Amino acid sequence: MPLSCSLVRDLTFDFLDGELGGEENTAIREHLAICDRCLAEVENQRNFLRAVARAGGADPPAPEELGERVRSILRRRDD
């Protein structure tokens, strides 16, 4: 089943962190192969995570509530 852009954005950090199962991971890769907009967004997030890691991103992870707020803002942005 093809994934929507919204779902891909919701799963981006889990995808980049390698936290998704095989089917979800494959579905996202297939979506990114045909959706330049989502591919660009995932690449931006990947670059962001790399920059944080290079800057010594050993801080504790952000609270889940923050992630939910960010995802909510991104969903509203695309509506």
Side-chain angles (χ1 to χ4, degrees):
M1 173 172 92
L3 297 180
S4 67
C5 292
S6 178
L7 184 55
V8 170
R9 281 190 302 278
D10 287 348
L11 296 173
T12 294
F13 284 108
D14 294 333
F15 172 73
L16 293 173
D17 289 340
E19 296 178 0
L20 299 178
E23 288 182 23
E24 286 180 313
N25 191 48
T26 299
I28 289 179
R29 288 182 183 283
E30 289 172 355
H31 181 88
L32 295 177
I34 61 170
C35 183
D36 292 337
R37 183 175 176 191
C38 286
L39 178 60
E41 186 126 353
V42 168
E43 287 301 316
N44 285 338
Q45 296 302 333
R46 181 178 283 133
N47 291 335
F48 168 75
L49 292 173
R50 286 180 181 154
V52 168
R54 280 193 307 270
D59 293 337
E64 180 59 31
E65 297 84 25
L66 176 60
E68 285 300 319
R69 287 190 346 206
V70 170
R71 285 187 284 276
S72 175
I73 290 168
L74 290 173
R75 280 191 295 271
R76 283 190 306 236
R77 182 185 76 182
D78 291 329
D79 291 346

